Amino acid sequence: MRLAPLLTIGLFLLTVSCLNAPKEKAITIVNAAAVDAPLLESLRAFAERELHVPVRTVENPKLAGGKNFQALEKAVLHVKTDADVTLIILAGFNDEPRHLAVFPEKGFAVVNTLPLYTADSEKFARRLERQIMRAAAFSFSLPPTPDPFCVTRDYRSLDDLDSMGRNFSPPWQVRYAEEALKRGLLPYDPNK
């Protein structure tokens, strides 16, 4: 009989300690009701594989109410935690033609999914992968590269975006890794 209260107290203390344990620093992709769960997981896995740092996802449909990048800016600051090195929000704005807005001083970026949308689901996913990679680089204040195959190069149209690579050029991979370490992002370990 005395064992049950002790087990209950022990379970409670274990739960509280797990809740208070600091999260590992990561890039966090926040879905503001812009994509479905399978696509979100595919984007997370792609980003983690290409960035070589931990990437996690969070569903936050409340952020979907923003009408533009600036309206979302204030709401995002209430979502960001110390473990979120960079937040990359996936949201859709009807009246905003820009594909991406980056706020490096505040540690987040917003991908506008609506102007990137196409009925071709694979092409749409590739566009989002490119924007997530761009958001990650530009959030660390890396500039666009002139390399025609690097995902950070400037583009002028969706066709141009569709023709670029989906990852960083070798020099930008090194620069990104250096910046990630400075911010406390440890290299991703696929064996964890």
Side-chain angles (χ1 to χ4, degrees), residues 126-127 129-134 137-138 144-145 147-155 161 164-169:
R126 299 301 169 254
R127 287 176 179 176
E129 289 170 353
R130 288 178 179 99
Q131 293 302 337
I132 288 170
M133 293 296 289
R134 293 170 64 79
F138 300 152
T145 178
D147 184 324
F149 301 106
C150 184
V151 73
T152 66
R153 76 169 168 83
D154 290 329
Y155 65 95
L161 174 67
M164 72 171 51
R166 292 182 295 142
N167 53 17
F168 300 144
S169 63

Side-chain angles (χ1 to χ4, degrees), residues 23-27 48 51-55 83 85 140 176-190 192:
K23 280 186 178 177
E24 176 183 35
K25 287 190 179 246
I27 302 295
E48 192 167 72
L51 296 171
H52 307 285
V53 297
V55 177
V85 173
F140 284 5
Y176 186 83
E178 289 170 350
E179 289 298 322
L181 276 175
K182 287 180 191 175
R183 289 165 169 78
L185 275 171
L186 301 177
Y188 167 67
D189 181 3
K192 274 190 173 181

Side-chain angles (χ1 to χ4, degrees), residues 10-65:
L11 184 59
F12 173 76
L13 292 174
L14 178 65
T15 302
V16 169
S17 68
C18 288
L19 290 175
N20 291 332
K23 280 186 178 177
E24 176 183 35
K25 287 190 179 246
I27 302 295
T28 303
I29 300 173
V30 180
N31 185 22
V35 299
D36 62 23
L39 178 54
L40 182 63
E41 174 52 25
S42 172
L43 295 170
R44 185 210 63 77
F46 173 82
E48 192 167 72
R49 196 170 47 251
E50 293 299 321
L51 296 171
H52 307 285
V53 297
V55 177
R56 65 176 152 257
T57 59
V58 175
E59 294 279 353
N60 194 329
K62 291 180 182 178
L63 292 178

Side-chain angles (χ1 to χ4, degrees), residues 86 102-109 133-145 152 168 172 175-176 179-180 183:
T86 299
V102 182
F103 304 86
E105 65 285 347
K106 295 180 180 170
F108 77 93
M133 293 296 289
R134 293 170 64 79
F138 300 152
S139 291
F140 284 5
S141 298
L142 294 179
T145 178
T152 66
F168 300 144
W172 260 237
R175 289 180 71 179
Y176 186 83
E179 289 298 322
R183 289 165 169 78

